[in-house]
Amino acid sequence: MVYSMIEPVGEKTIERIGNLGRFSRFFARAAQASLVSCCSPRSYPGIWTQMHLIGVRSVPVVMITGAFVGMVLAIQAYDQLAGMGLEERLGVLINIAVVKELGPVLAAVMLAGRVGGALTAELGTMNVTEQISAVQSMGTDPIKHLVAPRVLACLVLTPFLIIYADLLGILGGYFVSVIQLKINSRAYWDFSAQSVELWDLNMGIVKGFFFGGAIAVISCYKGFTCREGAQGVGQACTEAFVGSFISILALNFIFAVVMKAIYSTFWPIQSLL
Amino acid sequence: MAKYVDKDDGIIVVRNLVKMFDRRVVLEGISLALEKGKTTAIIGPSGCGKTVLMKHMIALERPTSGEVYFKGRRIDELNERQLAAIRTQYGFCFQKGALFDSLTVYENIIFPIVQHRKITDWKAIDDLVKNKLAMVGMDGYQEHLPASLSGGQQKRVALARAIALNPEVILYDEPTTGLDPIRSDIINELILKLQRQLQITSIVVTHDMRSAYKIGDRIIMLHDGKVIADGDADHIRNHPHSIVQQFVHGEVNEADLAALRLGGTKFETQYLPEDFE
Ligand SMILES: Nc1ncnc2c1ncn2[C@@H]1O[C@H](COP(=O)(O)OP(=O)(O)O)[C@@H](O)[C@H]1O
Ligand SMILES: [Mg+2]
C-alpha cells in the first residue's frame, strides 16, 4: 500500500532527474558546438540564413510590442503622478520600466513565441521524419549543423531586437505623454535623461543575450526530443514555449538580484539616494 | 543458437547485443557477422527491432550491453567525432527517405559531400550528381524539392544520396514498404545493381518476403529480440520453425484468428489456442 504510493513518486523523480541530465548534456554540447562554429568561417552561411529567419523577420512584431508597452504605461501611470503633481516625471517611470524590464522581457517573450515555436516545429518535424538521424548517419554532427547556427543567431540578435523594442517603447510613451496627455516635451526628456542611466540600458540589452540563448537551446532541445506524430510536434512546441517563458522570467529575476549586488558594490552611494 | 562470433568474422560484427528502452528489452543478445560484398536481408514482424538493430550497426543507437565492430574496430564506444570518419563509409537509406525537405534534390545529394570535402571543381560535382541520379533513374530531377516527388521517387533519391560518398556498406530500412509491386521491384533491382556494380555490402531490413528472397544472399529472421532463423532463401523456405513458416507465408496464427472471431482486440500474447476450445 505505502509502497505503491511511494513508487510513482520515485519514478517521476527519477524521470525528471534523467530529463534534467539529458538537457544539461544537450546544453553543454550546444554551447561547445556554437563556440566552434563561431570560429569557423565555413559555418557562417548557415548562421546568416538563420539570422535572417530569426532576426529580421521578428523586427515588426517586437517593435509593435514595444510601442504598445510604452503607450499603455503612459496612460496607466499618468493619473497617479498627476495626482501628486509629478506628471512631468512620467518619462522617468516609463523609460526606466521599458528599458530595464518590460522591453527586454516582453521582446524575449514575443521571440519565444515566434522563434521558439518555429524552431521547435522545424526541428521536431525533422526529428520525426528521421532527417536528424540522416544528418548524423552522414557523419555530420546534428548539433553542430542544426543547433549551433540557431543558437548563435538568437544570441547575437536578441539584444538587437531588444534595442528595437526599447526604442519603440520610448517613442510610444513619448507620443502618448506629449501629444495626448499634453506634457511639456522638454521637461519630459530632461527628467528622463537625468534618471535613466546608461547602466540601465546596457543591462537590459545584456539580458537579451541570456534570454536569446535560453530560447534557442530550449526550443532546439524540445525539437530534438520530440515524439512521433503531429501531436508530438504540437506538444513539443507548447512545452518549448512554456519552458522558454519560465526560463526568461527566472533568468530575469536572477539577473536583477545579481546586478543589484554588483551595482551597489561599485556605486554604493547612489543606491542609497 | 548462441554461436561465438569473432570481431574479424565479417565487415560488420555484432556480438551479444542487448538493447533496452526504459525497462523493455528490444534486442536480447544478438550475435551476427555480416560478410563483405554480400546482401543480407533482415526480416521479422513490425516492431521486432529490425530498425533498432540496423541503427546499432552505424552507431545511431548505443547498445545496453554487447559490442559492435566495423572492419574489426569497435564502434559502439566511439564518440560522435570519431564516428564521423566511420559513418562516411556507410550509406543509410531511411524508411521514410529522410530527404531534407528544405533542400532541392541536387542539394540533398551534395550534402554529404560538402560536409566532408572542400569543393573546388563544381563541374565535377554536377557530373557526380548526374551520375548518381542516373543510377537510380532520377536524372533531370535535380532542381525538384522532395515534396514534389512521389514516395518511390523520394526513396530513389535517398538511395542516390546514400551512395554519394561511394560507401562500402549500405543499410536499407524497408526500401520497398509502401510502394506498389512494380516500384518495389525497381528498388530490388537497384539494390542488386549497386551490389554487383560497386561490390557494396548491403543490409536490407524488410518484411516483404518477395524482396528478401530476391536480393538476399542470406536471410536472418528476428523474433522477440532474438535471431530465430539464419540462412539462404532455401533454408528459410524450408525452415521447420512454425513462426518462420507463418511469417514467410504471411499467415495469421490460430490464436490471433480466434481472438478476432471473438471480437477481441488482444492478440497472441494474451490468449492461448486452448482458451477457445
Ligand atoms: N527511441 C526509442 N525509444 C523507445 N522505444 C523505441 C525506440 N526506438 C524503437 N523503440 C521500440 O523498439 C521496438 C522495435 O522498434 P523497431 O526496430 O523500429 O521495429 P521494426 O522491426 O518495425 O523496425 C518497438 O517496439 C519500438 O517501440
Ligand atoms: Mg522499422
Side-chain angles (χ1 to χ4, degrees), chain B residues 132-153:
Chain B
K132 301 289 177 197
L133 280 175
M135 235 176 209
V136 298
M138 290 291 291
D139 187 21
Y141 285 87
Q142 274 87 336
E143 298 313 317
H144 283 64
L145 283 172
S148 69
L149 303 177
S150 74
Q153 289 175 322

Side-chain angles (χ1 to χ4, degrees), chain B residues 21 24 26 45-53 61 95 173-174:
Chain B
F21 286 112
R24 210 159 60 83
V26 174
S46 294
C48 70
K50 305 183 295 294
T51 303
V52 171
L53 172 60
E61 294 278 3
Q95 193 165 344
D173 194 358
E174 310 219 358

